Every structure is written in structure tokens, then in C-alpha cells.
């Protein structure tokens, strides 16, 4: 008996570190982070959203007729030059004139205007391109926001799911502790062998190790949510304990909404219009390029060695220039052909993207429906498994069943519970992604 007690103490000591780690999932004094607060924080602080919004603002700022080249370019100029020269001049009458260290000075200033008045309509095509790029920037920002919101919601509900699983594991561990106590009582009464106590202790250690692994995963998911919210990775918080699945989603309306609101499809359509505009820009090289220039200039010069030692001039200048591409080694033809191929690729990309989106929707919707079915079946199954475990535990206490049978009842209860919780999360995750694809995200 003394040897047995020493061995039991040793096994208990092995269990203590596990038990110390497997503490409450809820952090004392930590605030409860609601899903709405998490989303508000992400929309304000997420780094990807900030970068995307700034990029969209840049694209919006670029939409000006000046950036498209429609407006003239007006510049001011000022030039000052000096030189010191020693000059020897021999005149026609053979007299020599020596000028030592003569200071030559010239300065000019004025204003000039250059204006391309016709470039084969390229400037108008460029302006249309800038407007499409602005739309693309807004769509990409929307896509970034939707992806971030979906990631936050999925991670949040994953934490809720894991929290429930941890609670279920702790319930199983409580049963294992009772099993040890019952085995100990029956052993001391001489009704079972020591092996039953050892097996119960090993089962407790196994359950505790499983709990520790789940808690480590829970901690990693917390860090991931903090990353999405762009805050310190070690920020502590608690989450809610309920997952509500929207059971009203229909496949037809989801596909219809995706056709007109999915960011990926919208981006593909914008890229198709950009390809059309690119062809217009390439074709503009077939037309002449016509521009005007003008300016008003002041010139002052001083040259002691010249015939005119001082000279001042001012006046208005203007001109017209025109160029046209006559032959460029067939490069114009090559560029136009490539531009048409880009249009064809853009159209193919729209069809491919639409096909990918519909396939993704069908897969997710199937997962969503199967999750709903598992929820319905799992809820009743959990109740049955719980009652079966309670009955089995009582029978074990009375010595009516073996340790293997009570262990099997524990496993059945845990598996039923985990399957039910996973089904809730599966349906919710599919629901979130479906709403992301359709461009509509809500908080339920």
C-alpha cells in the first residue's frame, strides 16, 4: 500500500503542471470584445485598409484634365551668365585694341506657353483611363475592406468555437477526475485492482494534454485577431460565447448579387474597359500631333569687346509645330495588334472570373447547407451523449461497467460536442465568405 501511494503521488505530480496550464479561458478583468467593436477597430486601424484607402485617394487625385495633358504648360525662366575675358582685336586699319579683364554679362527672363491642341484624341482617352483607374481604386479598397471584415469575423467566431471546445474538454476532465476518485474509492474497498486507478490517472493526463493543445491554438487565434486589429499581439480580451447562423441564404440571389457586386468581377470589368482605352491611345499615334507655343522674353547683354557694348531686347514669340508618324518599322501595327489581344484576354478573364466565383459560391453554399444539417442533428446528439455519459459515470461508480466503457462514453460525448461546435463554425464561416463574395457584409 505504501508503494502504491508513492506511485499515485508521483502520477499526481506529473498532472499538476498540466492542470496549472489548463486554467480558465476567460481572462479575469479583461474586457469583452464584441464583434462590432472588433470590426470598428479593424476599419479604423487595419494597416491594409489604410494603405488601400491612401492608394484610392492617389488615384482620385490623379483625375484631372491637367494630368491628362489637356491644359497648356506655362513656365517662367531666368538665365544669368557672366564671363571675364582679355581680348586683343586687330582692326582693318591694323590698329590693335587690347581689352583686359572685360566683364561680359548676359541675362534673360520671360514666360513661355506650350500647348498640345491635338494628339489624335489621346488626351481624352488618357482622361477616361484616369477615371477608370479611380473606379478600380475604389473597388480594390472595397475588396480590402471586405476581406478584412471577413477575416475579423471568421477569426472571432473561430475563437468562440474554440472557447466552447475548451469548455467541453474541461467537462471531460472533470469526469476524468471523478473517475479517479471513484476508482480510488473502489480500490481502497478492495473491489478493483490498482490498474484501474492508474488507467484513470493516465486518461486524465491525456485529456489535460489535449486541453493544453487547444488552449495554445486559442492563444494563437487571439494573436491573429490582434494582428488584424493592428494592436499589440499580447492585448488580452474575452469574446462572446454564441454563434448565430443566418439560415435564410438562398443560392440564386447570392449568384445574382455576385454578378453585379463582387469586387473581383468588378475589377475584371474595369480592366476590360482599360484595355479598350489602351487601344484608343495606341491608335492616336496614327494622327498628327499639333501644338502651339508662345512666350514673352526680356534679354539684356553687356559685351565691352563687341560692336554693340550694351544691348536690350524684349518681345513676343509664337509658333506652331506639327508631326505625323509616316513609317516606324511596322511598330504601330504591332502595338495595335497587341492591344486587341489584350482586349481579348480581358474578356476571357471576365468569363474565367465569373466561372471561378460561381464555383466558389456553389462549394461554399454546399458547406453552408451541410453545416446547417449537422447543427440540427448534432444538437440532439449532444444531449443524448451527455445523458449517456451521466448514466455511464453512475454505473462506473457502482461498479457496473468497466473503465473502458466509461472512457468510451467520454469520447462519444466529446466527439458529439466537438462535431456540433464545428458544424456551427463551418456554417458561419461559409455564410461570412458568401456575403463577402456578394459584396455585402453584415454583423449578426
Amino acid at each position: 500500500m505504501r508503494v502504491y501511494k508513492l506511485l499515485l503521488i508521483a502520477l499526481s505530480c506529473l498532472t499538476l503542471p498540466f492542470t496549472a496550464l489548463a486554467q480558465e479561458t476567460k481572462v479575469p478583468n479583461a474586457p469583452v470584445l464584441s464583434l462590432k467593436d472588433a470590426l470598428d477597430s479593424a476599419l479604423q486601424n487595419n494597416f491594409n485598409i489604410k494603405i488601400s484607402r491612401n492608394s484610392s485617394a492617389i488615384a482620385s487625385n490623379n483625375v484631372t484634365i491637367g494630368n491628362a495633358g489637356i491644359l497648356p504648360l506655362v513656365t517662367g525662366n531666368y538665365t544669368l551668365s557672366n564671363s571675364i575675358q582679355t581680348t586683343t582685336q586687330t582692326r582693318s586699319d591694323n590698329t590693335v585694341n587690347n581689352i583686359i579683364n572685360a566683364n561680359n554679362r548676359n541675362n534673360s527672363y520671360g514666360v513661355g506657353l506650350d500647348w498640345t491642341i491635338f494628339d489624335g484624341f489621346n488626351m481624352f482617352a488618357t482622361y477616361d483611363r484616369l477615371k477608370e483607374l479611380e473606379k478600380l481604386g475604389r473597388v480594390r479598397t472595397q475588396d480590402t475592406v471586405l476581406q478584412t471584415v471577413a477575416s475579423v469575423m471568421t477569426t472571432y467566431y473561430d475563437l468562440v468555437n474554440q472557447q466552447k471546445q475548451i469548455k467541453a474538454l474541461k467537462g471531460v476532465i472533470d469526469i476524468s477526475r471523478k473517475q479517479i476518485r471513484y476508482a480510488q474509492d473502489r480500490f481502497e474497498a478492495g473491489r478493483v485492482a490498482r490498474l484501474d486507478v492508474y488507467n484513470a490517472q493516465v486518461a486524465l493526463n491525456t485529456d489535460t494534454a489535449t486541453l493544453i493543445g487547444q488552449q495554445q491554438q486559442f492563444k494563437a487565434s487571439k494573436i491573429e485577431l490582434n494582428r488584424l486589429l493592428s494592436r499589440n499581439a499580447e492585448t488580452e480580451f474575452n469574446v462572446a460565447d454564441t454563434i448565430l447562423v443566418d439560415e435564410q441564404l438562398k443560392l440564386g440571389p447570392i449568384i445574382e448579387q455576385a454578378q453585379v457586386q463582387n469586387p473581383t468581377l468588378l475589377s475584371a470589368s474595369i480592366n476590360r474597359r482599360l484595355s479598350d482605352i489602351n487601344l484608343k491611345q495606341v491608335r492616336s499615334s496614327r494622327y498628327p500631333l499639333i501644338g502651339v507655343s508662345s512666350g514673352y522674353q526680356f534679354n539684356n547683354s553687356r559685351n565691352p569687346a563687341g560692336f554693340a557694348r550694351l544691348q536690350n531686347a524684349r518681345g513676343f514669340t509664337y509658333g506652331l509645330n506639327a508631326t505625323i508618324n509616316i513609317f516606324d518599322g511596322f511598330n504601330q501595327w504591332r502595338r495595335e495588334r497587341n492591344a486587341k489581344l489584350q482586349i481579348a484576354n480581358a474578356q476571357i478573364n471576365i468569363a474565367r472570373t465569373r466561372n471561378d466565383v460561381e464555383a466558389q459560391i456553389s462549394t461554399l453554399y454546399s458547406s453552408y447547407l451541410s453545416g446547417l444539417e449537422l447543427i440540427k442533428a448534432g444538437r440532439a446528439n449532444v444531449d443524448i451523449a451527455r445523458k449517456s455519459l451521466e448514466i455511464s459515470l453512475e454505473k462506473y461508480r457502482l461498479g457496473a461497467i468497466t473503465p473502458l466503457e466509461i472512457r468510451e462514453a467520454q469520447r462519444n460525448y466529446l466527439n458529439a460536442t466537438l462535431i456540433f461546435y464545428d458544424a456551427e463554425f463551418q456554417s458561419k464561416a461559409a455564410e461570412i465568405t458568401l456575403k463577402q463574395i456578394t459584396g455585402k457584409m453584415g454583423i449578426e
Side-chain angles (χ1 to χ4, degrees):
M1 180 64 70
R2 179 179 177 83
V3 174
Y4 160 72
K5 288 184 176 180
L6 289 174
L7 183 56
L8 185 58
I9 292 172
L11 285 170
S12 299
C13 289
L14 289 175
T15 307
L16 284 176
F18 294 106
T19 307
L21 287 172
Q23 296 298 322
E24 290 295 325
T25 304
K26 296 285 186 179
V27 180
N29 301 322
V32 175
L33 179 66
S34 68
L35 179 58
K36 184 179 185 306
D37 290 340
L39 292 175
D40 289 342
S41 179
L43 292 174
Q44 293 177 9
N45 303 318
N46 182 267
F47 296 131
N48 290 337
I49 291 179
K50 287 182 177 180
I51 292 173
S52 184
R53 283 173 175 166
N54 287 340
S55 298
S56 179
I58 290 172
S60 180
N61 292 338
N62 286 337
V63 184
T64 65
I65 58 176
N67 192 32
I70 298 175
L71 297 180
L73 178 64
V74 180
T75 58
N77 61 82
Y78 178 80
T79 303
L80 173 64
S81 61
N82 288 278
S83 65
I84 300 176
Q85 296 179 338
T86 297
T87 305
T88 300
Q89 296 177 336
T90 301
R91 299 188 178 120
S92 59
D93 59 357
N94 293 325
T95 59
V96 177
N97 182 29
N98 293 318
I99 303 175
I100 300 173
N101 295 330
N103 184 4
N104 301 313
R105 179 186 180 92
N106 183 70
N107 68 4
S108 64
Y109 55 92
V111 62
L113 179 146
D114 293 287
W115 194 359
T116 300
I117 58 176
F118 182 75
D119 61 353
F121 308 104
N122 179 62
M123 62 182 72
F124 302 106
T126 300
Y127 188 59
D128 291 338
R129 179 175 180 273
L130 293 174
K131 289 188 287 187
E132 292 300 323
L133 289 175
E134 181 187 24
K135 295 177 184 177
L136 185 61
R138 288 199 298 265
V139 169
R140 286 175 175 172
T141 298
Q142 178 194 11
D143 191 26
T144 301
V145 170
L146 288 172
Q147 288 182 17
T148 303
V149 168
S151 296
V152 169
M153 294 179 72
T154 302
T155 305
Y156 187 91
Y157 284 118
D158 186 30
L159 283 170
V160 176
N161 175 43
Q162 292 183 49
Q163 184 172 260
K164 289 183 174 183
Q165 292 187 10
I166 289 172
K167 184 178 180 180
L169 285 168
K170 287 180 178 179
V172 170
I173 287 175
D174 289 339
I175 298 297
S176 295
R177 289 197 178 102
K178 289 181 181 179
Q179 185 179 347
I180 291 176
R181 188 169 68 251
Y182 294 160
Q184 175 65 23
D185 293 342
R186 292 168 64 190
F187 170 74
E188 291 177 353
R191 298 169 58 188
V192 296
R194 294 176 183 175
L195 183 61
D196 282 9
V197 181
Y198 296 160
N199 287 337
Q201 187 67 57
V202 171
L204 174 60
N205 290 346
T206 301
D207 293 338
T208 307
T210 303
L211 174 60
I212 291 172
Q214 185 62 60
Q215 287 182 321
Q216 176 58 35
Q217 184 179 345
F218 184 76
K219 178 63 176 177
S221 297
K222 270 192 168 183
I223 292 173
E224 172 61 13
L225 184 57
N226 281 328
R227 184 191 69 82
L228 291 171
L229 304 186
S230 300
R231 61 185 190 178
N232 188 287
E234 297 300 323
T235 301
E236 286 292 355
F237 60 92
N238 295 313
V239 295
D241 54 8
T242 304
I243 297 179
L244 297 178
V245 181
D246 182 0
E247 300 182 5
Q248 305 303 318
L249 299 184
K250 302 298 181 183
L251 182 59
I254 291 175
I255 294 177
E256 291 176 1
Q257 291 172 3
Q259 295 292 341
V260 295
Q261 295 180 344
N262 178 260
T264 306
L265 274 173
L266 292 176
S267 296
S269 298
I270 292 174
N271 284 324
R272 169 67 168 80
R273 293 195 291 273
L274 286 172
S275 297
D276 290 335
I277 293 172
N278 179 61
L279 178 59
K280 292 180 181 179
Q281 290 179 305
V282 171
R283 282 177 172 169
S284 68
S285 298
R286 290 186 175 275
Y287 296 89
L289 179 66
I290 301 173
V292 295
S293 60
S294 64
Y296 199 88
Q297 197 75 14
F298 295 86
N299 289 288
N300 298 304
S301 62
R302 179 176 178 273
N303 187 2
F307 291 100
R309 295 185 175 183
L310 296 174
Q311 181 174 320
N312 296 318
R314 65 179 183 274
F316 179 72
T317 60
Y318 56 92
L320 174 71
N321 59 79
T323 61
I324 188 170
N325 176 24
I326 298 176
F327 179 74
D328 64 351
F330 304 108
N331 283 319
Q332 178 66 30
W333 176 85
R334 174 184 57 80
R335 288 193 295 269
E336 289 184 13
R337 183 174 178 81
N338 288 342
K340 291 177 182 178
L341 290 173
Q342 289 175 355
I343 292 174
N345 278 344
Q347 189 61 44
I348 294 172
N349 185 56
I350 291 176
R352 180 183 64 181
T353 303
R354 181 177 292 110
N355 187 64
D356 291 345
V357 168
E358 290 180 359
Q360 186 182 12
I361 289 174
S362 297
T363 301
L364 287 167
Y365 193 73
S366 176
S367 177
Y368 165 77
L369 291 179
S370 63
L372 291 180
E373 292 298 322
L374 287 172
I375 289 174
K376 294 176 182 177
R379 185 176 288 110
N381 200 30
V382 169
D383 291 337
I384 295 172
R386 182 186 297 109
K387 293 176 182 177
S388 176
L389 178 58
E390 291 171 353
I391 294 172
S392 298
L393 183 62
E394 180 62 19
K395 285 185 176 181
Y396 179 76
R397 187 182 68 83
L398 298 174
I401 61 174
T402 65
L404 290 178
E405 289 175 308
I406 183 64
R407 187 63 177 167
E408 184 65 22
Q410 280 181 290
R411 290 198 186 97
N412 290 339
Y413 168 70
L414 182 60
N415 289 337
T417 304
L418 298 185
I419 289 173
F420 174 65
Y421 293 153
D422 282 339
E424 280 188 327
F425 177 67
Q426 171 187 322
S427 293
K428 192 63 181 179
E431 172 203 327
I432 291 170
T433 308
L434 285 170
K435 291 182 177 180
Q436 175 195 347
I437 291 174
T438 58
K440 287 188 175 182
M441 297 296 298
I443 304 174
E444 286 82 26

